[in-house]
Coordinates of all heavy atoms in Angstrom, one line a residue:
M1 N 12.2 6.1 -5.0 CA 11.0 5.4 -5.6 C 9.9 5.4 -4.6 O 10.2 5.0 -3.4 CB 11.3 4.0 -6.1 CG 10.1 3.4 -6.7 SD 10.4 1.7 -7.4 CE 11.3 2.1 -8.8
S2 N 8.7 5.7 -5.0 CA 7.6 5.7 -4.0 C 7.0 4.3 -3.9 O 7.0 3.5 -4.9 CB 6.5 6.6 -4.6 OG 6.9 7.9 -4.6
F3 N 6.4 4.0 -2.8 CA 5.7 2.7 -2.6 C 4.3 3.1 -2.3 O 4.0 3.9 -1.4 CB 6.3 2.0 -1.3 CG 5.8 0.6 -1.2 CD1 6.6 -0.5 -1.4 CD2 4.5 0.4 -0.8 CE1 6.1 -1.8 -1.2 CE2 4.0 -0.9 -0.6 CZ 4.8 -2.0 -0.8
V4 N 3.4 2.5 -3.0 CA 2.0 2.8 -2.9 C 1.1 1.5 -2.7 O 1.4 0.5 -3.3 CB 1.4 3.6 -4.1 CG1 1.6 2.8 -5.4 CG2 0.0 4.0 -3.9
F5 N 0.2 1.6 -1.7 CA -0.8 0.6 -1.6 C -2.0 1.0 -2.3 O -2.5 2.1 -2.0 CB -1.1 0.4 -0.1 CG -0.1 -0.3 0.7 CD1 0.9 0.4 1.4 CD2 -0.1 -1.7 0.8 CE1 1.9 -0.3 2.1 CE2 0.9 -2.4 1.5 CZ 1.9 -1.7 2.2
V6 N -2.5 0.3 -3.2 CA -3.7 0.6 -4.0 C -4.9 -0.3 -3.5 O -4.9 -1.5 -3.7 CB -3.5 0.3 -5.5 CG1 -4.8 0.7 -6.3 CG2 -2.3 1.1 -6.0
F7 N -5.8 0.3 -2.8 CA -6.9 -0.4 -2.2 C -8.1 -0.4 -3.2 O -8.4 0.7 -3.8 CB -7.4 0.2 -0.9 CG -6.5 -0.1 0.3 CD1 -5.4 0.6 0.5 CD2 -6.8 -1.2 1.1 CE1 -4.5 0.3 1.6 CE2 -6.0 -1.5 2.2 CZ -4.9 -0.7 2.4
T8 N -8.8 -1.5 -3.4 CA -9.9 -1.6 -4.3 C -11.2 -1.4 -3.5 O -12.3 -1.3 -4.1 CB -9.9 -2.9 -5.0 OG1 -9.9 -4.0 -4.1 CG2 -8.7 -3.0 -6.0
E9 N -11.1 -1.3 -2.2 CA -12.2 -0.9 -1.3 C -11.7 0.0 -0.3 O -10.4 0.1 -0.1 CB -12.8 -2.2 -0.6 CG -13.5 -3.2 -1.5 CD -14.1 -4.4 -0.8 OE1 -14.0 -4.4 0.4 OE2 -14.5 -5.3 -1.5
C10 N -12.5 0.7 0.4 CA -12.0 1.6 1.5 C -11.3 0.8 2.6 O -11.9 -0.1 3.1 CB -13.1 2.5 2.1 SG -13.9 3.6 0.9
P11 N -10.1 1.2 2.9 CA -9.4 0.4 3.9 C -9.9 0.8 5.3 O -10.4 1.9 5.5 CB -7.9 0.9 3.8 CG -8.0 2.3 3.2 CD -9.3 2.3 2.3
P12 N -9.7 -0.1 6.3 CA -10.0 0.2 7.7 C -9.1 1.4 8.1 O -8.0 1.5 7.6 CB -9.6 -1.0 8.5 CG -9.5 -2.1 7.5 CD -9.2 -1.5 6.1
G13 N -9.7 2.3 8.9 CA -9.0 3.6 9.2 C -7.6 3.4 9.8 O -6.7 4.2 9.6
H14 N -7.4 2.3 10.6 CA -6.1 2.1 11.3 C -5.0 1.9 10.3 O -3.8 2.1 10.6 CB -6.2 1.0 12.3 CG -6.5 -0.3 11.8 ND1 -7.7 -0.8 11.4 CD2 -5.6 -1.4 11.5 CE1 -7.7 -2.0 11.0 NE2 -6.4 -2.4 11.0
L15 N -5.3 1.5 9.1 CA -4.3 1.2 8.1 C -3.7 2.5 7.5 O -2.6 2.5 6.9 CB -4.8 0.3 7.0 CG -5.0 -1.1 7.4 CD1 -5.5 -2.0 6.2 CD2 -3.8 -1.8 8.1
L16 N -4.4 3.6 7.7 CA -3.8 4.9 7.3 C -2.5 5.2 8.0 O -1.8 6.1 7.6 CB -4.9 6.0 7.4 CG -6.2 5.8 6.6 CD1 -7.1 7.0 6.9 CD2 -5.9 5.6 5.2
A17 N -2.3 4.5 9.1 CA -1.0 4.7 9.8 C 0.2 4.4 9.0 O 1.3 4.7 9.3 CB -1.0 3.9 11.1
L18 N 0.0 3.7 7.9 CA 1.1 3.4 7.0 C 1.7 4.6 6.5 O 2.9 4.6 6.1 CB 0.6 2.5 5.8 CG 0.2 1.1 6.1 CD1 -0.6 0.4 5.0 CD2 1.5 0.2 6.4
R19 N 1.0 5.7 6.4 CA 1.5 7.0 5.9 C 2.7 7.4 6.8 O 3.6 8.0 6.3 CB 0.4 8.0 5.9 CG -0.6 7.8 4.9 CD -1.7 8.9 5.0 NE -2.7 8.7 4.0 CZ -3.9 9.3 4.1 NH1 -4.3 9.9 5.1 NH2 -4.8 9.1 3.1
Q20 N 2.6 7.2 8.1 CA 3.7 7.6 8.9 C 5.0 6.9 8.6 O 6.1 7.4 9.0 CB 3.4 7.4 10.4 CG 3.4 6.0 10.9 CD 2.9 5.9 12.3 OE1 2.3 6.8 12.9 NE2 3.2 4.7 12.9
W21 N 5.0 5.9 7.9 CA 6.2 5.1 7.5 C 6.6 5.5 6.0 O 7.5 4.9 5.5 CB 5.9 3.6 7.5 CG 5.7 3.2 8.9 CD1 4.5 3.0 9.6 CD2 6.7 2.9 9.9 NE1 4.7 2.6 10.9 CE2 6.0 2.6 11.1 CE3 8.1 2.9 9.9 CZ2 6.7 2.2 12.3 CZ3 8.8 2.6 11.0 CH2 8.1 2.3 12.2
G22 N 5.9 6.5 5.4 CA 6.3 7.0 4.1 C 5.5 6.3 3.0 O 5.9 6.6 1.8
F23 N 4.6 5.5 3.2 CA 3.8 4.8 2.2 C 2.7 5.7 1.7 O 2.1 6.4 2.5 CB 3.3 3.5 2.7 CG 4.3 2.5 3.1 CD1 4.6 2.2 4.4 CD2 5.1 1.8 2.1 CE1 5.6 1.3 4.8 CE2 6.0 0.9 2.5 CZ 6.3 0.7 3.8
H24 N 2.4 5.6 0.4 CA 1.3 6.3 -0.2 C 0.1 5.3 -0.2 O 0.3 4.1 -0.4 CB 1.5 6.7 -1.6 CG 2.7 7.7 -1.7 ND1 2.5 9.0 -1.4 CD2 4.0 7.5 -2.0 CE1 3.7 9.6 -1.6 NE2 4.6 8.7 -1.9
I25 N -1.1 5.8 0.1 CA -2.3 5.0 0.1 C -3.3 5.6 -0.8 O -3.7 6.8 -0.6 CB -2.9 4.8 1.5 CG1 -1.8 4.3 2.5 CG2 -4.1 3.9 1.5 CD1 -2.2 4.4 3.9
V26 N -3.8 4.9 -1.8 CA -4.9 5.4 -2.7 C -5.9 4.3 -2.8 O -5.7 3.2 -2.4 CB -4.3 5.8 -4.1 CG1 -3.3 6.9 -3.9 CG2 -3.7 4.6 -4.8
A27 N -7.0 4.7 -3.4 CA -8.1 3.7 -3.6 C -8.7 3.9 -5.0 O -8.6 5.0 -5.6 CB -9.2 3.9 -2.6
T28 N -9.3 2.8 -5.5 CA -10.0 2.9 -6.8 C -11.4 3.3 -6.7 O -12.2 3.3 -7.7 CB -9.9 1.5 -7.5 OG1 -10.4 0.5 -6.7 CG2 -8.4 1.2 -7.8
V29 N -11.9 3.5 -5.4 CA -13.2 3.9 -5.1 C -13.2 5.2 -4.3 O -12.1 5.5 -3.7 CB -14.0 2.8 -4.4 CG1 -14.2 1.6 -5.3 CG2 -13.4 2.4 -3.1
D30 N -14.3 5.9 -4.1 CA -14.3 7.0 -3.2 C -14.2 6.6 -1.8 O -15.1 5.9 -1.3 CB -15.6 7.8 -3.4 CG -15.7 8.5 -4.8 OD1 -14.6 9.1 -5.2 OD2 -16.7 8.6 -5.4
C31 N -13.2 7.1 -1.1 CA -13.0 6.8 0.3 C -12.6 8.1 1.0 O -11.7 8.9 0.5 CB -11.8 5.8 0.5 SG -12.1 4.2 -0.2
P32 N -13.2 8.4 2.1 CA -12.8 9.7 2.8 C -11.3 9.7 3.2 O -10.8 8.8 3.6 CB -13.6 9.6 4.1 CG -14.7 8.6 3.9 CD -14.2 7.6 2.8
G33 N -10.7 10.8 2.8 CA -9.3 11.0 3.1 C -8.3 10.4 2.2 O -7.1 10.5 2.5
L34 N -8.8 9.7 1.2 CA -7.9 9.1 0.2 C -8.1 9.6 -1.2 O -9.2 10.0 -1.6 CB -8.1 7.6 0.2 CG -7.7 6.8 1.4 CD1 -7.9 5.3 1.1 CD2 -6.2 7.0 1.8
E35 N -7.0 9.7 -1.9 CA -7.0 10.0 -3.3 C -7.7 8.9 -4.1 O -7.3 7.7 -3.9 CB -5.6 10.3 -3.9 CG -5.6 10.6 -5.3 CD -4.2 10.8 -5.8 OE1 -3.2 10.8 -5.0 OE2 -4.0 11.0 -7.1
K36 N -8.6 9.2 -4.9 CA -9.2 8.2 -5.8 C -8.5 8.1 -7.1 O -8.2 9.2 -7.7 CB -10.7 8.5 -6.1 CG -11.4 7.5 -7.0 CD -12.8 7.8 -7.3 CE -13.4 6.7 -8.2 NZ -14.8 7.1 -8.5
V37 N -8.0 7.0 -7.5 CA -7.3 6.8 -8.7 C -8.1 6.0 -9.7 O -8.5 4.9 -9.4 CB -6.0 6.0 -8.4 CG1 -5.2 5.7 -9.7 CG2 -5.1 6.8 -7.5
V38 N -8.4 6.6 -10.8 CA -9.2 6.0 -11.9 C -8.3 5.2 -12.8 O -8.5 4.0 -13.1 CB -10.0 7.0 -12.6 CG1 -10.8 6.4 -13.8 CG2 -10.9 7.7 -11.7
D39 N -7.2 5.8 -13.3 CA -6.3 5.2 -14.2 C -5.1 4.6 -13.4 O -4.0 5.3 -13.3 CB -5.8 6.1 -15.3 CG -4.9 5.5 -16.3 OD1 -4.6 4.3 -16.2 OD2 -4.5 6.2 -17.2
V40 N -5.3 3.5 -12.8 CA -4.3 2.9 -11.9 C -2.9 2.7 -12.6 O -1.9 2.9 -12.1 CB -4.8 1.6 -11.2 CG1 -3.7 1.0 -10.3 CG2 -6.0 1.9 -10.4
K41 N -3.0 2.2 -13.8 CA -1.8 1.9 -14.6 C -0.9 3.1 -14.8 O 0.3 3.0 -14.6 CB -2.2 1.3 -16.0 CG -1.0 0.7 -16.7 CD -1.4 0.0 -18.0 CE -0.3 -0.7 -18.6 NZ -0.7 -1.5 -19.8
S42 N -1.5 4.2 -15.1 CA -0.7 5.4 -15.2 C -0.2 5.9 -13.9 O 0.9 6.4 -13.8 CB -1.6 6.5 -15.9 OG -1.8 6.2 -17.2
Y43 N -1.1 5.8 -12.9 CA -0.7 6.3 -11.5 C 0.5 5.6 -11.0 O 1.4 6.2 -10.3 CB -1.9 6.2 -10.6 CG -1.5 6.7 -9.2 CD1 -1.6 8.0 -8.9 CD2 -1.1 5.8 -8.2 CE1 -1.3 8.5 -7.6 CE2 -0.8 6.3 -6.9 CZ -0.8 7.6 -6.7 OH -0.5 8.1 -5.4
I44 N 0.6 4.3 -11.2 CA 1.7 3.5 -10.6 C 3.0 3.5 -11.3 O 4.0 3.0 -10.9 CB 1.2 2.0 -10.3 CG1 1.0 1.3 -11.6 CG2 0.1 2.0 -9.4 CD1 0.9 -0.2 -11.4
R45 N 3.0 4.2 -12.5 CA 4.2 4.2 -13.3 C 5.3 4.9 -12.4 O 5.1 5.9 -11.8 CB 4.0 5.1 -14.5 CG 5.2 5.1 -15.5 CD 4.8 5.7 -16.8 NE 3.9 4.9 -17.6 CZ 2.7 5.4 -18.0 NH1 2.4 6.6 -17.8 NH2 1.9 4.6 -18.7
D46 N 6.5 4.2 -12.4 CA 7.6 4.7 -11.7 C 7.4 4.6 -10.1 O 8.1 5.3 -9.4 CB 8.0 6.1 -12.0 CG 8.4 6.2 -13.5 OD1 9.0 5.3 -14.0 OD2 8.2 7.3 -14.1
K47 N 6.5 3.7 -9.7 CA 6.3 3.5 -8.3 C 6.3 2.0 -8.1 O 6.0 1.2 -8.9 CB 4.9 4.0 -7.9 CG 4.7 5.5 -8.0 CD 3.3 5.9 -7.6 CE 3.1 7.4 -7.6 NZ 3.0 7.9 -8.9
F48 N 6.6 1.6 -6.8 CA 6.5 0.2 -6.4 C 5.1 0.1 -5.9 O 4.8 0.8 -4.9 CB 7.6 -0.1 -5.4 CG 7.5 -1.5 -4.9 CD1 8.2 -2.5 -5.7 CD2 6.8 -1.9 -3.9 CE1 8.2 -3.8 -5.3 CE2 6.8 -3.3 -3.5 CZ 7.5 -4.2 -4.2
A49 N 4.3 -0.7 -6.5 CA 2.8 -0.8 -6.1 C 2.4 -2.2 -5.7 O 3.0 -3.2 -6.2 CB 2.0 -0.3 -7.3
V50 N 1.5 -2.2 -4.7 CA 0.8 -3.4 -4.3 C -0.7 -3.2 -4.3 O -1.1 -2.2 -3.8 CB 1.3 -3.8 -2.9 CG1 0.5 -5.0 -2.4 CG2 2.8 -4.1 -2.8
V51 N -1.4 -4.0 -4.9 CA -2.9 -3.9 -5.0 C -3.4 -4.7 -3.8 O -3.1 -5.9 -3.6 CB -3.4 -4.4 -6.3 CG1 -5.0 -4.5 -6.2 CG2 -3.0 -3.6 -7.5
V52 N -4.3 -4.1 -3.1 CA -4.9 -4.7 -1.9 C -6.4 -5.1 -2.3 O -7.2 -4.2 -2.5 CB -4.9 -3.8 -0.7 CG1 -5.5 -4.5 0.5 CG2 -3.5 -3.3 -0.4
G53 N -6.6 -6.4 -2.3 CA -8.0 -6.8 -2.5 C -8.5 -7.2 -3.8 O -9.6 -7.5 -4.0
D54 N -7.6 -7.2 -4.8 CA -8.0 -7.6 -6.2 C -6.8 -8.2 -6.9 O -6.1 -7.6 -7.6 CB -8.5 -6.4 -6.9 CG -9.2 -6.7 -8.3 OD1 -8.8 -7.8 -8.9 OD2 -10.0 -5.9 -8.7
K55 N -6.7 -9.5 -6.8 CA -5.6 -10.3 -7.4 C -5.6 -10.1 -8.9 O -4.6 -10.0 -9.5 CB -5.7 -11.7 -7.0 CG -4.4 -12.5 -7.4 CD -4.4 -13.9 -6.8 CE -3.2 -14.6 -7.2 NZ -3.1 -16.0 -6.6
G56 N -6.8 -10.1 -9.5 CA -6.9 -10.0 -10.9 C -6.3 -8.7 -11.4 O -5.6 -8.6 -12.4
L57 N -6.6 -7.6 -10.7 CA -6.1 -6.3 -11.1 C -4.6 -6.3 -10.9 O -3.9 -5.8 -11.8 CB -6.7 -5.1 -10.2 CG -6.2 -3.7 -10.5 CD1 -6.4 -3.3 -11.9 CD2 -6.8 -2.8 -9.5
A58 N -4.1 -6.9 -9.9 CA -2.7 -6.9 -9.6 C -2.0 -7.7 -10.8 O -0.9 -7.3 -11.2 CB -2.4 -7.6 -8.3
E59 N -2.6 -8.8 -11.2 CA -2.0 -9.6 -12.3 C -2.0 -8.7 -13.6 O -1.0 -8.8 -14.3 CB -2.7 -10.9 -12.4 CG -2.5 -11.9 -11.3 CD -3.3 -13.1 -11.4 OE1 -4.2 -13.2 -12.3 OE2 -3.1 -14.0 -10.5
E60 N -3.1 -8.0 -13.8 CA -3.2 -7.2 -15.0 C -2.1 -6.1 -15.0 O -1.5 -5.8 -16.0 CB -4.6 -6.6 -15.1 CG -4.8 -5.6 -16.2 CD -6.1 -4.9 -16.1 OE1 -7.1 -5.6 -15.7 OE2 -6.2 -3.8 -16.5
L61 N -1.9 -5.5 -13.8 CA -0.9 -4.5 -13.7 C 0.6 -5.0 -13.5 O 1.5 -4.2 -13.6 CB -1.2 -3.6 -12.5 CG -2.5 -2.8 -12.6 CD1 -2.9 -2.2 -11.3 CD2 -2.5 -1.8 -13.8
R62 N 0.7 -6.3 -13.3 CA 1.9 -7.0 -13.1 C 2.6 -6.4 -11.8 O 3.8 -6.1 -11.8 CB 2.8 -6.9 -14.3 CG 2.1 -7.5 -15.5 CD 2.9 -7.4 -16.8 NE 3.9 -8.4 -16.7 CZ 4.9 -8.5 -17.6 NH1 4.9 -7.7 -18.6 NH2 5.7 -9.5 -17.5
V63 N 1.8 -6.3 -10.7 CA 2.4 -5.9 -9.4 C 1.9 -6.9 -8.4 O 1.2 -7.8 -8.7 CB 1.9 -4.5 -9.1 CG1 2.3 -3.5 -10.1 CG2 0.3 -4.4 -8.9
G64 N 2.4 -6.7 -7.2 CA 2.0 -7.6 -6.1 C 0.6 -7.4 -5.7 O -0.1 -6.4 -5.9
A65 N 0.1 -8.5 -5.0 CA -1.3 -8.5 -4.5 C -1.3 -9.0 -3.1 O -0.6 -10.0 -2.8 CB -2.2 -9.4 -5.4
V66 N -2.0 -8.4 -2.2 CA -2.2 -8.8 -0.8 C -3.6 -8.6 -0.5 O -4.4 -7.9 -1.1 CB -1.3 -8.0 0.1 CG1 0.2 -8.3 -0.1 CG2 -1.5 -6.5 0.1
D67 N -4.0 -9.1 0.7 CA -5.3 -8.8 1.2 C -5.2 -7.9 2.4 O -4.1 -7.7 2.9 CB -6.1 -10.1 1.5 CG -5.5 -11.0 2.6 OD1 -4.8 -10.5 3.5 OD2 -5.6 -12.2 2.5
V68 N -6.3 -7.4 2.9 CA -6.3 -6.5 4.1 C -5.5 -7.1 5.3 O -4.8 -6.4 5.9 CB -7.7 -6.0 4.4 CG1 -7.7 -5.2 5.7 CG2 -8.3 -5.2 3.3
G69 N -5.8 -8.4 5.5 CA -5.1 -9.0 6.7 C -3.6 -9.0 6.6 O -2.9 -8.8 7.6
E70 N -3.1 -9.2 5.4 CA -1.6 -9.1 5.2 C -1.1 -7.7 5.4 O 0.0 -7.5 5.9 CB -1.3 -9.6 3.8 CG -1.5 -11.1 3.7 CD -1.4 -11.6 2.2 OE1 -2.1 -11.0 1.3 OE2 -0.7 -12.6 2.0
V71 N -1.9 -6.7 5.0 CA -1.4 -5.3 5.2 C -1.4 -5.0 6.7 O -0.5 -4.4 7.3 CB -2.3 -4.3 4.5 CG1 -1.9 -2.9 4.8 CG2 -2.3 -4.6 3.0
E72 N -2.5 -5.5 7.4 CA -2.5 -5.4 8.9 C -1.3 -6.0 9.6 O -0.7 -5.5 10.5 CB -3.8 -5.9 9.4 CG -5.0 -5.1 9.1 CD -6.4 -5.7 9.4 OE1 -6.5 -6.9 9.5 OE2 -7.3 -4.9 9.7
E73 N -1.0 -7.2 9.1 CA 0.2 -7.9 9.7 C 1.5 -7.1 9.4 O 2.3 -7.0 10.3 CB 0.3 -9.3 9.0 CG 1.3 -10.2 9.6 CD 1.3 -11.6 9.0 OE1 0.3 -12.1 8.7 OE2 2.4 -12.2 8.9
F74 N 1.6 -6.6 8.2 CA 2.8 -5.8 7.9 C 2.9 -4.5 8.8 O 3.9 -4.2 9.3 CB 2.7 -5.3 6.4 CG 3.8 -4.5 6.0 CD1 5.2 -4.9 6.0 CD2 3.6 -3.2 5.5 CE1 6.2 -4.1 5.6 CE2 4.6 -2.4 5.1 CZ 5.9 -2.8 5.1
L75 N 1.7 -3.9 9.0 CA 1.7 -2.7 9.9 C 2.1 -3.1 11.3 O 2.8 -2.4 12.0 CB 0.3 -2.0 9.9 CG 0.2 -0.8 10.7 CD1 1.3 0.3 10.3 CD2 -1.2 -0.2 10.6
R76 N 1.6 -4.2 11.8 CA 2.0 -4.7 13.2 C 3.5 -4.9 13.2 O 4.1 -4.6 14.2 CB 1.2 -6.0 13.5 CG -0.2 -5.7 14.0 CD -0.8 -7.0 14.7 NE -0.9 -8.1 13.8 CZ -1.9 -8.4 12.9 NH1 -2.9 -7.5 12.8 NH2 -1.8 -9.4 12.1
W77 N 4.0 -5.5 12.2 CA 5.5 -5.8 12.2 C 6.2 -4.5 12.2 O 7.2 -4.3 13.0 CB 5.8 -6.6 10.9 CG 7.3 -6.8 10.8 CD1 8.0 -7.8 11.4 CD2 8.2 -6.1 10.0 NE1 9.4 -7.7 11.0 CE2 9.5 -6.7 10.2 CE3 8.1 -5.0 9.1 CZ2 10.6 -6.2 9.5 CZ3 9.2 -4.5 8.5 CH2 10.5 -5.1 8.7
L78 N 5.8 -3.5 11.4 CA 6.4 -2.2 11.4 C 6.4 -1.5 12.8 O 7.3 -0.9 13.2 CB 5.8 -1.3 10.4 CG 6.1 -1.4 8.9 CD1 5.3 -0.5 8.1 CD2 7.6 -1.1 8.7
S79 N 5.2 -1.7 13.4 CA 5.0 -1.0 14.7 C 5.8 -1.7 15.8 O 5.9 -1.2 16.9 CB 3.5 -1.0 15.0 OG 2.8 -0.3 14.1
G80 N 6.3 -2.9 15.6 CA 7.0 -3.7 16.6 C 8.4 -3.9 16.2 O 9.2 -3.0 16.1
E81 N 8.8 -5.1 16.0 CA 10.1 -5.5 15.8 C 10.7 -5.0 14.5 O 11.9 -4.8 14.4 CB 10.3 -7.0 15.8 CG 9.5 -7.7 14.6 CD 9.6 -9.2 14.7 OE1 9.0 -9.8 15.6 OE2 10.2 -9.8 13.7
G82 N 9.9 -4.7 13.5 CA 10.3 -4.2 12.2 C 10.7 -2.8 12.2 O 11.4 -2.3 11.3
A83 N 10.3 -2.0 13.2 CA 10.6 -0.6 13.2 C 12.1 -0.3 13.1 O 12.5 0.5 12.3 CB 10.0 0.1 14.5
R84 N 12.9 -0.9 13.9 CA 14.3 -0.6 13.9 C 14.9 -1.0 12.6 O 15.7 -0.3 12.0 CB 15.0 -1.4 15.0 CG 16.5 -1.2 15.2 CD 17.1 -2.1 16.3 NE 16.7 -3.5 16.3 CZ 17.2 -4.4 15.5 NH1 18.2 -4.1 14.6 NH2 16.8 -5.7 15.6
L85 N 14.5 -2.2 12.0 CA 15.1 -2.6 10.8 C 14.7 -1.7 9.6 O 15.4 -1.4 8.7 CB 14.6 -4.1 10.5 CG 15.1 -5.1 11.5 CD1 14.4 -6.4 11.2 CD2 16.6 -5.3 11.5
F86 N 13.4 -1.4 9.6 CA 12.9 -0.5 8.5 C 13.5 0.8 8.6 O 13.9 1.4 7.5 CB 11.3 -0.5 8.6 CG 10.7 0.1 7.4 CD1 10.6 -0.6 6.3 CD2 10.2 1.4 7.4 CE1 10.0 0.0 5.1 CE2 9.6 2.0 6.3 CZ 9.5 1.2 5.2
K87 N 13.6 1.4 9.7 CA 14.2 2.8 9.8 C 15.7 2.7 9.4 O 16.1 3.7 8.7 CB 14.1 3.3 11.2 CG 12.7 3.7 11.6 CD 12.6 4.2 13.0 CE 11.1 4.6 13.3 NZ 11.0 4.9 14.7
A88 N 16.4 1.7 9.7 CA 17.8 1.6 9.3 C 17.9 1.4 7.8 O 18.8 2.0 7.2 CB 18.4 0.4 10.0
A89 N 16.9 0.7 7.2 CA 17.0 0.5 5.7 C 16.7 1.8 5.0 O 17.1 2.0 3.9 CB 15.9 -0.5 5.3
L90 N 15.9 2.7 5.6 CA 15.6 4.0 5.0 C 16.8 5.0 5.0 O 16.8 5.9 4.2 CB 14.4 4.7 5.7 CG 13.0 3.9 5.5 CD1 12.0 4.7 6.3 CD2 12.7 3.9 4.0
Q91 N 17.7 4.7 5.8 CA 18.9 5.7 5.9 C 19.9 5.5 4.9 O 20.0 4.6 4.2 CB 19.5 5.6 7.3 CG 18.5 6.0 8.4 CD 19.1 5.9 9.8 OE1 20.2 5.5 9.9 NE2 18.4 6.3 10.8

């Protein structure tokens, strides 16, 4: 199953590092280097999705909601102590 972060604004460039961990990153607006998704509901079908920056959209789609700061914290965790645990979970 794919895991996708759906940004409602262009994410800071350093968050694109999530791709190295196997996460998909898309946006609902035009952002350089990201796929723009217009029909989010169809796109996330059969995916584990988290909406970044729009709690209302997340509630409508019945998926998780986070803000950019929480995604940054998650990436820091992955890059540090979480790396070993996350890699082990993927195997």
Side-chain angles (χ1 to χ4, degrees):
M1 178 178 288
S2 298
F3 188 110
V4 62
F5 286 94
V6 179
F7 284 83
T8 56
E9 295 181 4
C10 294
H14 65 278
L15 292 183
L16 299 182
L18 289 165
R19 290 176 175 160
Q20 73 185 16
W21 295 96
F23 297 103
H24 298 278
I25 304 170
V26 298
T28 59
V29 296
D30 287 320
C31 297
L34 290 183
E35 178 182 356
K36 179 181 179 182
V37 175
V38 177
D39 184 357
V40 180
K41 188 172 187 174
S42 291
Y43 180 83
I44 66 169
R45 188 170 292 126
D46 298 326
K47 295 178 179 73
F48 184 85
V50 174
V51 173
V52 183
D54 189 334
K55 189 173 182 177
L57 177 59
E59 289 173 357
E60 177 184 326
L61 297 171
R62 303 178 80 188
V63 300
V66 295
D67 61 34
V68 170
E70 291 169 309
V71 178
E72 289 173 330
E73 186 177 328
F74 178 61
L75 183 57
R76 279 192 301 276
W77 178 81
L78 281 174
S79 299
E81 67 185 64
R84 180 180 51 79
L85 299 171
F86 191 75
K87 287 179 183 175
L90 291 177
Q91 296 178 358

